Amino acid sequence: QLKTLGEMSMNAAYDPAVYDDIVGMINNNQLITINFPDGETLAFYGWVDNFAPGELVEGEQPEAEVSIICSNQNASGTETAPTFTPTTTTA
């Protein structure tokens, strides 16, 4: 049975210089990595379903509403489970 990871929506900062790259990711199944502020990561296969930039305001970080669909299937259609990498701490 295929493992599931649900749809996710978020408000994300982005660089307008890569806007065209982001648009190219819409509906393109690929490896996606979510980087959390504490250094943890979540990597999975899926695609950007929607990218809706907010109003650009001079001096403020551009943000967009983003929704991502998780497919958990690589380009050849093989089920690939999500990978969570916790923050490593040194003693």
Side-chain angles (χ1 to χ4, degrees):
Q1 181 175 351
L2 186 63
K3 295 172 180 70
T4 59
L5 184 63
E7 177 180 351
M8 59 183 70
S9 296
M10 68 194 88
N11 191 29
Y14 74 98
D15 182 346
V18 297
Y19 178 82
D20 289 339
D21 294 332
I22 295 168
V23 170
M25 294 178 193
I26 296 173
N27 295 326
N28 182 15
N29 190 50
Q30 61 196 294
L31 183 62
I32 297 172
T33 302
I34 305 294
N35 298 298
F36 296 99
D38 64 0
E40 296 176 332
T41 61
L42 177 63
F44 57 90
Y45 280 90
W47 62 89
V48 175
D49 189 52
N50 186 43
F51 179 80
E55 183 178 337
L56 294 176
V57 178
E58 188 173 343
E60 292 185 13
Q61 174 69 51
E63 295 184 345
E65 287 291 324
V66 182
S67 61
I68 296 174
I69 304 295
C70 308
S71 69
N72 293 323
Q73 294 183 26
N74 65 19
S76 64
T78 303
E79 180 181 5
T80 306
T83 303
F84 178 75
T85 306
T87 302
T88 55
T89 58
T90 56

